[in-house]
Amino acid sequence: MRLPSLFIAFSLLASAASYDSVLIHNVDVYPVTSPMIHNTSVLVIDGKIAAIGAGASGKGGIKVVDGKGLRLYPGLIDSGTELGLSEVSSERMTVDTGELGDFMPQLRALIAVNVESEHLPVVRVNGMTSVIAIPAGGGRGGRGGGSAQLISGQAALMHLSGWTWEDMEINRSAAMYLTFPSIAGRGGRGPQSDDDISVAAPPVSFTELKRQYDAQIQKLNDFFDAARQYQKERAANAPGFKKDLKMEAMIPVLEGKMPVAITAMRERSIRDAIAFSEKQHIRMVLLQPHDVMKFAPELKAKNIPVILGRTEALGDSEDSPYDQVENIPAALYNAGVKFAFATFNNEFARNLPFNAGRAASYGLPKEEALKAITINPAEIWGASDKIGSIEKGKYADMIITNGDPMEIATQIKYLFIKGKDIDLSTKQTRLYEKYLARP
Amino acid sequence: MKKLITSLLFCCLGALAQAPPTAVAISNAKIVTISGATITKGTVVVRDGLIEAVGDNITPPADALIIDGAGLTVYPGLIDGLSTVGIPAPATPTRGGRGAGAAAATAAAPPAPHSNGPEDRPMTTSWIKAADEIQPTDHRIETARNEGFTTAVVFPTVGIFGGQGSIIDLAGVKTENMVLVPAVGQYIAMRTNPNGFPDALMGVISYVRQTYMDAGYYKLSKEVYANDPRGMKRPEYNRALEGILESKRILLPAERLVEMDRMLRFAAELKQPVILYGLHQGYRAADLLKKNNAVVLVSLKWPEKPRDTDPDDEDSLRVLEERKKAPSTPAVLQKAGIKFAFYTDGVEQPRDLQRAVKAAIDQGLSREEAVRAFTLSPAEIYGVADRLGSIEKGKIANLLVTRGELFDDRTKVEMVFVDGVKHVPAPEPAGRGTATETAGGGVNQ
Amino acid sequence: MTSKFFLACLAAASLASAEVKVIQNATIMSESAKGTFNGSIVVRDGKIIEVGQHVTVPPGATVIDASGQWVIPGIIDCHAHIGVDGGVNEGSVSVSSMVNIKDVINPEDIAIYRALSGGVTSMNVLHGSANAIGGQTIVLKTRWGSDAQGMIFEGAKPGIKFALGENPKRQGNPEGGARGGAPVNVRYPATRMGVEDVIREAFNEAVLYKAQWDAYDKAVAAGQHPLPPRKDLKLESLKEVLEGKRLVHAHCYRSDEILMLIRVADDYGFKIATFQHVLEGYKVAKEIAAHGGGASTFSDWWGYKSEAYDAIAYNAALLAKKGVLVSVNSDSLNGELMRRLNLEAAKGMKYGGMTREEALAMVTINPAKQLGVQDRVGSIEVGKDADMVIYDKDPLSIYSKVQKVLIDGTQYFDRDTDVSGRGAKEQEKQKLIQEEKAEDAKTASPRRRAQ
């Protein structure tokens, strides 16, 4: 059915020889949003997928890639990283997340991204083509200790390659990043390794912690109320109205155009975060909810999507079953809640596909695991018209592999971002080559 | 009549000059001897601070002051197996933990010099004897006595090697009169140093190990030197090591089963007779303790749920189980035939103490054994059972007289005899609580 | 873990070890000359007595039907920090060789169970990395339910931890640089130069100490009775290093410090048994290979510290290519990564093209050799301890899960038992919570009034 149009497309554009056009043939395509197609072709023109179908060979100067024995998938998407914003996480000067100030909605993560960060190539070559870059601290070099920043700024959806951050941008304001107040539990996951410089908080009475917690929520509500007031004044445009950058940044949130990515880990915070989002009439995405299963029916009913952290983690209590965290994705899927995976990290961001695969090991259907790192995040972040699957009209963000991208031993043979064939060499491969050659 | 006036005079003079009667007889009382069968109705005669006679068929001597014991029960005076009563409370005598309370400690005393290793003998005052530190005016002595304690095994508890404990009678004006046994063993706590080495539990253990190795070396060097000093550099006097060598046994802390195992092994390695103190997981440890012929002191400060916690937080199964079962420890030890005694461990309010013992009784400890754990057992553990801990002829007249069964809710302490001298607790104010307030703390704070 | 469960485990342990077991019809990755094949394994008295495509099933044997499943040797983690009471770092002094992990083993650390759930059967439990010369270390088997003594891998050579690079010099930073920013006593050294000095100074002392003791031993052998030298625990363990009786496990990152330590060891005449983490080891693979030390590294960690900035995921593969014996470890404080060492090892196939057997070797026979216990564990061969892991699928696949773990022939972990027991455990917990709530309501806590 596609053959005729494909033929026409080829004859029209056969002369195109741009760097972001390519024809991949003889490849098994996994579109994700539709069943796998054996031994077919994908034509990319000017960075977008122009056609998918069997047959035709390339004409003119278009680059051709032979995908014999290989597979083609959409590029993978990590829904939470500090890529480009943090180079050596324990060295504060290299870290640009976690600014000072409790309410900083006007800050934009995108403009602080270091295009030449060594982390970008390292993560790319495991199949990631785009990520959410978050403005919040949490890395060891970032804003540590004490209470978390409430609104950290605007998280960006970006490609992992480009000449500038403008080039990399998919959506500079993909979400407003909000960390909901919380009361630390007595358990907690603690330091992971001897190199982890975490510190336990000193014990404070619950009464006092609850008082602080309630005060923080009040501050949040006050801030949103102030933003609403500003919105009114702005619409009225009375004389003497002064533009306030913080409040300006809140307008799209109030209008429902920008979702709020809310981090809430424990039960109390999750419950109050949902209540808060309803009270303030905002669209929310729920991030890193450890106690998520208690809310699954509610999340489904209210269409609140979830971003899960790494499955390579332990439960919060000594009594947690050893696979507590691994079991959550399957349970969420069975409850009908939409979710995506994120690593919330740089050093381990390249292991995103393995986190998804691990969930598949513990009951999540493989196709769903793959969706959670492709089409689901695309939909959650409002970019499903551009990325997340192999479909005509979307960006040609694609990986060509010699196997299942969630399997450890799989090699990524080609990586395309907006149709451009990305060099798979990284600082690490270069050092490897150099020292391999040492006599 | 003359006799009446004389005795009245004596009483008044007694009141003024505080000269006790030479002999006292409590008759018509129930007597729980501990060493033998309980006497339903009998008499105890006390003279010159010793028990002269006890039995169900005794005629009180003619010169004795008679106390009508109808409705009363006489017990041996209670012995607190590990106490700090009488030693002025140090700023923060925390047990275990990672060097908390450093700031408070330094407020009271000049900061300890930084310790760079075992050779600096950090946190060691092994030469101290509790007997030399006792302040007879410490009001906690009276408080303890009002609860029925006549004796306490008091230890200096600061640092890692706190010093030697002494058995002290809980009444007296001069310390010399109060000391029953000046040195009963070295108190050791697995405490880290806020000011240098040792900074971790394994550091504390290696420090203690090195100290004992050094003590052995010191002893050997002194012997060799004594044998023939010529040509040999003299071994330097080291009071810390002297204190270690003088101690005939050690006390080591152990709450968890893992710690009991660890400390028993450690004591065996050091070749030191040991008494373990703490024992909250004793209910799990019967086999281990039996195998090692262990002697233990059980803290009555049962683990409690911390206050003001997040209702969303659930304690782990391990913690829940321990809280539930800790009071069953004494019953388990009793059943397994393991030698144990109680200590109050800072539980000072009589209501709290009574409730703590009651919890143990509710979980299977017999009432007799509960009393024994406060009387003859600690006497046996510290090797003074020949003179203390039960109501037998010839033993020291330390007695507790109650109205009601010991450890029942409404039981009151009527009087206490220490070294044969009667003490009556001050009347309690309305409501619960002791007659006197207590500041400072016990072994744990 | 309730004490009842412990007792059950212990009971199971004592019953099972004398039994004969047969693991039947599995795909066996033996990590031996026999390679990978479909077959069975016979176990008696905790040892493997037969392995092959066809085995004789002794009468009365317990048969574990492993058809469709995979069996590998028990996983050996060459760098763990679990099962330790009271802190893994004696960080107050630069040389803490007097302390010993063996003194603080906590066999009830739930992290041990979690490691077991991932197939770890032996682990090298190390002192932390706060000191240039740290404390003495020990090899344990994850015999969950045993007491501390029961965890010890009997016969494994004792070790000692060294640490180079940023961690041991952090406390020398006059700006405080300590964990969490809490003020600490400034402690020498503050630079890598100082780290070398600390090590050399310590061994300088140790050499003198050893000379004193050698002289004493000689005099005693000659029938004399001199006063012995004072025994010093700190120098005693370093003397053992000099005598080759104690293995040195050195935490290191940068190539310059790795080379430095090799030269120090050469000068004092001892060997580094393993270079731990050794993220820039690939740059000095030649020197490490010549020295004869093993390398125990992370699969793909990098970039979290300056000294990890040149770390590459190909480190293990490159070191192996250059003739170094390589293992992959977890450095875990809570057992999380210990659940996935099979997958960490599998990354060797992705980064550097290792074969399947080469990859798996990094968590089995290689760490066994590094710890000197290869005669006992590390492969499925006749005569070795029956330490084995049964997976439902290919252990090098992301989709596999551990089903059973045996140590010395005794089953210490069974996923089905664990999963089916969860309901009861949760019920018991809720029961205790409700009981406590009822108690609290009853007594209405007069303590609070008194407060």
Side-chain angles (χ1 to χ4, degrees), chain C residues 35 46 57 63 68 90 98 104 138 157 184 194 231 235 246 289 292 294 310 329 352 363 391 445:
Chain C
V57 178
V63 173
E90 177 53 64
M98 73 290 275
V104 289
I138 193 163
K157 235 187 208 178
V184 349
K231 200 152 203 179
L235 298 174
R246 187 172 285 279
D310 273 9
N329 68 49
V363 292
Y391 285 82
S445 206

Side-chain angles (χ1 to χ4, degrees), chain A residues 87 195 361 404 407 427, chain C residues 253 302 309-310 397 399 401:
Chain A
E87 202 59 24
D195 268 324
S361 182
D404 176 354
E407 260 298 10
K427 177 176 195 247
Chain C
Y253 276 73
W302 80 291
Y309 200 53
D310 273 9
S397 159
Y399 302 114
K401 286 196 294 293

Side-chain angles (χ1 to χ4, degrees), chain B residues 380-392:
Chain B
E380 285 166 347
I381 287 173
Y382 286 105
V384 291
D386 49 0
R387 65 203 96 146
L388 204 61
S390 60
I391 306 182
E392 287 180 76

Side-chain angles (χ1 to χ4, degrees), chain A residues 87 90 126 192 194-195 317 319 322-323 326 347 350-351 361 404 407 410 427-428 436 438, chain C residues 129 167 253 283 287 300 302 304-305 309-310 322 334 339 350 397-399 401 415 422 429:
Chain A
E87 202 59 24
S90 63
N126 272 23
Q192 299 285 100
D194 188 37
D195 268 324
S317 152
D319 294 332
Y322 72 92
D323 54 2
E326 282 85 346
E347 296 93 59
R350 61 172 149 188
N351 290 323
S361 182
D404 176 354
E407 260 298 10
T410 298
K427 177 176 195 247
Q428 301 199 359
L436 186 61
R438 182 186 171 197
Chain C
S129 54
N167 290 13
Y253 276 73
K283 295 182 182 175
E287 285 78 5
D300 61 3
W302 80 291
Y304 50 97
K305 289 199 283 185
Y309 200 53
D310 273 9
K322 299 286 181 178
N334 62 7
R339 303 173 308 151
K350 183 182 180 70
S397 159
I398 189 75
Y399 302 114
K401 286 196 294 293
R415 176 169 163 80
R422 288 174 193 179
K429 185 168 170 178

Side-chain angles (χ1 to χ4, degrees), chain B residues 299-371:
Chain B
S299 158
L300 279 169
K301 198 174 189 177
W302 304 125
E304 271 177 20
K305 192 170 161 69
R307 305 205 201 138
D308 203 0
T309 55
D310 187 342
D312 277 2
D313 265 348
E314 278 181 2
D315 282 314
S316 69
L317 187 54
R318 180 181 51 88
V319 167
L320 289 166
E321 194 187 72
E322 188 177 305
R323 273 211 294 266
K324 176 176 169 175
K325 292 198 177 155
S328 71
T329 291
V332 170
L333 297 180
Q334 173 189 5
K335 188 151 165 236
I338 290 156
K339 171 72 94 242
F340 75 95
F342 282 136
Y343 69 106
T344 54
D345 200 0
V347 177
E348 286 181 352
Q349 304 289 327
R351 192 83 181 86
D352 292 336
L353 193 57
Q354 179 266 326
R355 217 186 289 116
V357 181
K358 194 79 178 6
I361 294 173
D362 288 343
Q363 295 221 33
L365 181 68
S366 70
R367 193 179 291 273
E368 298 71 40
E369 189 60 36
V371 180

Side-chain angles (χ1 to χ4, degrees), chain A residues 224-288:
Chain A
F224 271 71
D225 291 342
R228 212 160 260 117
Q229 178 60 25
Y230 176 85
Q231 186 185 35
K232 227 167 50 172
E233 289 170 13
R234 183 177 185 267
N237 206 10
F241 169 79
K242 271 204 290 241
K243 197 169 183 181
D244 179 310
L245 294 181
K246 281 194 193 185
M247 297 283 116
E248 285 292 321
M250 292 297 292
I251 304 278
V253 172
L254 300 175
E255 290 174 346
K257 293 189 183 136
M258 196 192 320
V260 182
I262 303 185
T263 299
M265 294 184 181
R266 302 189 70 215
E267 186 181 343
R268 176 182 292 108
S269 295
I270 299 170
R271 184 181 308 117
D272 291 344
I274 297 173
F276 167 80
S277 74
E278 288 178 332
K279 181 177 161 136
Q280 294 294 346
H281 306 290
I282 53 178
R283 268 201 303 134
M284 79 173 261
V285 181
L286 180 58
L287 270 55
Q288 297 188 271

Side-chain angles (χ1 to χ4, degrees), chain C residues 92-110:
Chain C
S92 60
V93 289
S94 294
V95 178
S96 63
S97 44
M98 73 290 275
V99 311
N100 196 341
I101 290 283
K102 186 177 177 184
D103 286 332
V104 289
I105 298 170
N106 175 12
E108 296 182 3
D109 184 359
I110 193 66

Side-chain angles (χ1 to χ4, degrees), chain A residues 87-91 118-119 122 125-126 140 189-199 310-315 317-323 326-327 346-348 350-351 354 357-358 360-362 366 404 406-412 427-429 431-432 435-439, chain C residues 81 88-89 110 113-114 117 128-129 161 166-167 170 179-180 251 253 277 282-287 300-306 309-314 318 321-322 331-334 336 339-340 343 346-347 349-352 396-402 413 415 418 422 425 429:
Chain A
E87 202 59 24
V88 178
S89 55
S90 63
E91 303 292 345
E118 297 288 1
H119 288 272
V122 167
V125 302
N126 272 23
R140 297 175 206 109
R189 296 180 181 178
Q192 299 285 100
S193 81
D194 188 37
D195 268 324
D196 188 327
I197 323 164
S198 334
V199 159
R310 295 162 57 200
T311 49
E312 298 164 341
L314 290 172
S317 152
E318 186 184 311
D319 294 332
S320 301
Y322 72 92
D323 54 2
E326 282 85 346
N327 288 327
N346 285 353
E347 296 93 59
F348 295 110
R350 61 172 149 188
N351 290 323
F354 308 143
R358 195 169 175 79
S361 182
Y362 287 85
K366 276 190 198 173
D404 176 354
M406 296 187 291
E407 260 298 10
I408 304 232
T410 298
Q411 305 284 353
I412 310 286
K427 177 176 195 247
Q428 301 199 359
T429 58
L431 282 168
Y432 173 53
Y435 283 91
L436 186 61
R438 182 186 171 197
Chain C
H81 294 296
V88 300
N89 271 310
I110 193 66
Y113 182 74
R114 287 166 174 167
S117 80
S129 54
K161 176 81 176 290
E166 289 177 28
N167 290 13
R170 192 171 287 132
R179 294 176 178 216
H251 155 126
Y253 276 73
H277 310 329
Y282 65 93
K283 295 182 182 175
V284 284
K286 181 166 141 186
E287 285 78 5
D300 61 3
W301 299 20
W302 80 291
Y304 50 97
K305 289 199 283 185
S306 293
Y309 200 53
D310 273 9
I312 64 176
Y314 306 87
L318 189 34
K321 281 185 188 5
K322 299 286 181 178
D331 194 18
S332 183
L333 273 168
N334 62 7
E336 196 282 304
R339 303 173 308 151
R340 317 182 265 119
L343 303 174
K347 288 176 182 172
M349 299 189 293
K350 183 182 180 70
Y351 302 116
L396 298 175
S397 159
I398 189 75
Y399 302 114
S400 67
K401 286 196 294 293
V402 172
F413 175 81
R415 176 169 163 80
D418 179 300
R422 288 174 193 179
K425 190 171 163 196
K429 185 168 170 178

